[in-house]
Amino acid sequence: MLEELEVRGLGPIRDAVINPDSGMTAITGETGAGKSMLLDAIRLVSGGRVDSARLSTDGSTDCWAQAVFHVDDDSQARAEAEQAGVDIQDGELFLTRTVPSSGRSRAMLCGRTVPRAVLSKVASSLVVIHGQSDQLRIASSARQREFLDSVGVDPETLRSYADAWNAFRQVDEELSRLRGQQAESRQRADYLRDSLSRIDRVNPTAGEYEELRDRRTRIEHAAAIAQGVSGALSVLDPSQMDEDEPGVVDLMGRAVQSLRSIRMEKPFGELADRLEDVSREVSDVVFVLSDPGDAEDGEGDLDAINSRIHQIDDLIQRWGPTIEDVLAWRDRARLELEDVDASPERIERLEAQMHDAADRVKGAADRLSLERSRVAEALSSMVDGELESLAMAGSHLRISVAAREDPDDVDSTGHDDVGFLFTPYPGADELPLGSSASGGELSRLMLALELSAVSYRSTVEGRRSSSDGAYGSCTYIFDEIDAGVGGRAAAELGRRLARLAREEQVIVVTHLAQVASWADAQVVVRKGVDTSDGSTSTVVEPLDGDRRVSEVARMLSGDESDASLAHARELLSSSVLR
């Protein structure tokens, strides 16, 4: 519900604040006073475009408008705002828009700057404007289908179809992906098999590569190694070389014995201990040097080792940089090959799932179509009844729900083409809504639709909430709805607006007293002259008591004579829903 609308610098409006009633609010005033500017302000905070030429010409640099809405915890607008990162306090949602005389506009939601598209999305579930330039909102088949679904189609039926459609699309996308990858998968499988065969023929093991390179180095330097080892052993322990001369080990042993013979622990005993430790280290070196190890390797072994190293090098260049990487790649390739080899079976399974999913979609679409047809027939009949009361007797609205000829032509909304076809008078051609009615007729037709929607919803057990996709909890704004209407038809128009206002908030811009008299609150828009500089601006004032009587009298006869005032009082007192 719109609680407050504040406008600054929009056309002739310098500064105005409106607090609409929760029921019906009438905005009245003489032609050219600027009533349409208030609708421009609503469009502005709803993310619409406003020509910079319509900004104030009194020196203001920008136009500013703010609307304050009260939203329920489970409302769609609140969900959209919170999704945009907006924190809502006390259930109040602030929609603000600033449009400079040059440059880009700025949109804000509860003080947080947001893209204009976000403002528009939030406002779409808060405000419905029925003005001559806004009627095309329901001229498209998609919006007509949305309206029909929101009025009476069971949300569970819609959810059931959405679930079936999403499951179908998921299987379809997976199947399309696999089919598109079949040729690529075959090439990949051939590559994996060839690669695994190469690796398995070599069958390397972890650490083998380093060991082979080490063995090759020892073989290639065997002569130098042998000479160096012999020289070292002849010095350290000549007995290893069948020589009789004492070596380092023997000499160190004698040195230890000499130090022990002193029989003094400090420092000679400690020195003897240290020397013994060194002697043991030298003895260990001698033991290692004396180990024959790979001494038996010959030139024949070197050829075999080089061949093996070459094979492993080839694998490392392809899938390395280490032999461990090659082995890890082999393990992954085996798993991938299993998955690729299973693709034909997976496609066969998905094709079966696809068939089942398509059957479920068709069944859900048929049920949805039947329910749409039922709602369309009832709503069409109710609209015709409303049109007769709105001075459009003989007009007829037919809501067509036609299943597409191709049974496979389904989408996320089902397989129906929905169309609102309007006949403005008997004998006229039935034409799509929006191309078969004048602005005033179209506004009254939209009122008939909204009234019928409210009546239909009230007959459905557990009235749909806005979170279920209904149009409920909106502020409805009607402009030029009384064009070409007068007399009793005008009074009936006002009564029906008042009836709608029992369910929803209604704001109507009107020049007919018979319409304004039904409003719970009335606001007048008039031109005022600033005595200080002679400039003209628009003044917006709420009316009550005698001031409202005077305005209704002016609307009736153009003056405030005793007769017109009496007529105005009588009209206001009689315009009460019973």
Side-chain angles (χ1 to χ4, degrees), residues 58-262:
D58 64 354
S60 299
T61 58
D62 57 34
C63 161
W64 179 90
Q66 177 173 275
V68 182
F69 289 88
H70 177 78
V71 293
D72 296 330
D73 292 341
D74 60 349
S75 69
Q76 182 67 25
R78 188 186 189 105
E80 296 286 356
E82 290 176 344
Q83 187 175 359
V86 173
D87 184 25
I88 299 175
Q89 300 292 333
D90 300 324
E92 290 190 331
L93 191 57
F94 291 75
L95 280 68
T96 310
R97 188 89 179 279
T98 303
V99 180
S101 55
S102 62
R104 300 180 61 181
S105 67
R106 184 183 184 189
M108 300 184 73
L109 202 56
C110 291
R112 182 188 182 96
T113 301
V114 296
R116 185 168 61 90
V118 172
L119 207 65
S120 178
K121 191 172 185 181
V122 171
S124 65
S125 58
L126 293 172
V127 181
V128 176
I129 302 177
H130 291 303
Q132 191 167 5
S133 61
D134 303 284
Q135 302 298 351
L136 294 180
R137 62 178 284 275
I138 201 170
S140 70
S141 177
R143 291 308 302 268
Q144 291 167 6
R145 186 197 63 251
E146 290 174 9
F147 184 88
L148 182 65
D149 288 349
S150 74
V151 170
V153 175
D154 186 359
E156 187 57 39
T157 302
L158 292 169
R159 276 193 290 266
S160 177
Y161 179 78
D163 291 342
W165 172 256
N166 290 335
F168 172 80
R169 289 297 302 158
Q170 186 175 356
V171 176
D172 182 47
E173 290 172 2
E174 179 66 11
L175 187 58
S176 298
R177 184 183 66 82
L178 285 180
R179 283 172 174 167
Q181 291 178 348
Q182 270 191 317
E184 182 180 344
S185 295
R186 284 193 291 268
Q187 296 175 358
R188 179 66 175 172
D190 291 341
Y191 167 72
L192 291 173
R193 290 190 188 96
D194 180 66
S195 300
L196 288 170
S197 177
R198 285 172 176 264
I199 296 173
D200 290 341
R201 282 198 302 268
V202 177
N203 194 26
T205 58
E208 179 185 7
Y209 187 64
E210 290 74 15
E211 181 182 348
L212 288 170
R213 287 165 60 94
D214 188 46
R215 289 181 60 192
R216 182 177 65 180
T217 299
R218 291 199 302 271
I219 292 173
E220 288 176 344
H221 298 83
I225 291 172
Q227 182 178 358
V229 168
S230 298
L233 287 175
S234 66
V235 173
L236 298 173
D237 188 1
S239 66
Q240 297 290 333
M241 307 301 298
D242 297 327
E243 298 178 3
D244 294 333
E245 297 181 5
V248 171
V249 175
D250 290 335
L251 294 174
M252 291 180 69
R254 294 177 189 177
V256 170
Q257 291 177 0
S258 296
L259 291 173
R260 298 285 188 203
S261 66
I262 300 175

Side-chain angles (χ1 to χ4, degrees), residues 506-539:
V506 174
I507 299 174
V508 56
V509 178
T510 181
H511 67 276
L512 291 181
Q514 293 92 333
V515 174
S517 64
W518 286 92
D520 299 291
Q522 186 169 345
V523 175
V524 66
V525 180
R526 62 167 60 97
K527 290 183 178 179
V529 178
D530 190 334
T531 57
S532 62
D533 57 10
S535 62
T536 302
S537 62
T538 292
V539 178

Side-chain angles (χ1 to χ4, degrees), residues 486-487 490-495 512-518 555-556 571 575:
E492 191 61 30
L493 174 61
R495 190 175 72 85
L512 291 181
Q514 293 92 333
V515 174
S517 64
W518 286 92
M555 298 173 71
L556 284 169
L571 184 61
S575 300

Side-chain angles (χ1 to χ4, degrees), residues 216-361:
R216 182 177 65 180
T217 299
R218 291 199 302 271
I219 292 173
E220 288 176 344
H221 298 83
I225 291 172
Q227 182 178 358
V229 168
S230 298
L233 287 175
S234 66
V235 173
L236 298 173
D237 188 1
S239 66
Q240 297 290 333
M241 307 301 298
D242 297 327
E243 298 178 3
D244 294 333
E245 297 181 5
V248 171
V249 175
D250 290 335
L251 294 174
M252 291 180 69
R254 294 177 189 177
V256 170
Q257 291 177 0
S258 296
L259 291 173
R260 298 285 188 203
S261 66
I262 300 175
R263 299 186 183 279
M264 290 180 63
E265 183 61 26
K266 292 186 179 181
F268 304 108
E270 294 176 350
L271 293 173
D273 292 338
R274 291 170 60 186
L275 197 55
E276 278 187 333
D277 290 338
V278 174
S279 179
R280 280 192 291 271
E281 289 289 332
V282 174
S283 297
D284 186 60
V285 171
V286 170
F287 176 80
V288 173
L289 292 175
S290 302
D291 182 15
D294 295 327
E296 69 276 8
D297 290 336
E299 290 300 320
D301 292 322
L302 182 60
D303 290 339
I305 289 171
N306 278 330
S307 175
R308 182 69 175 172
I309 288 175
H310 176 72
Q311 291 175 335
I312 296 177
D313 266 333
D314 181 61
L315 301 182
I316 288 175
Q317 289 174 7
R318 293 174 182 271
W319 302 289
T322 67
I323 194 64
E324 285 72 20
D325 293 317
V326 174
L327 297 175
W329 186 91
R330 180 179 64 181
D331 293 340
R332 292 193 302 269
R334 285 172 176 165
L335 294 174
E336 184 181 353
L337 184 59
E338 291 177 3
D339 187 54
V340 172
D341 284 340
S343 291
E345 290 77 10
R346 290 178 62 191
I347 289 177
E348 186 175 346
R349 289 197 304 271
L350 284 172
E351 286 175 341
Q353 294 177 22
M354 182 77 166
H355 180 74
D356 293 340
D359 286 344
R360 288 194 295 271
V361 166

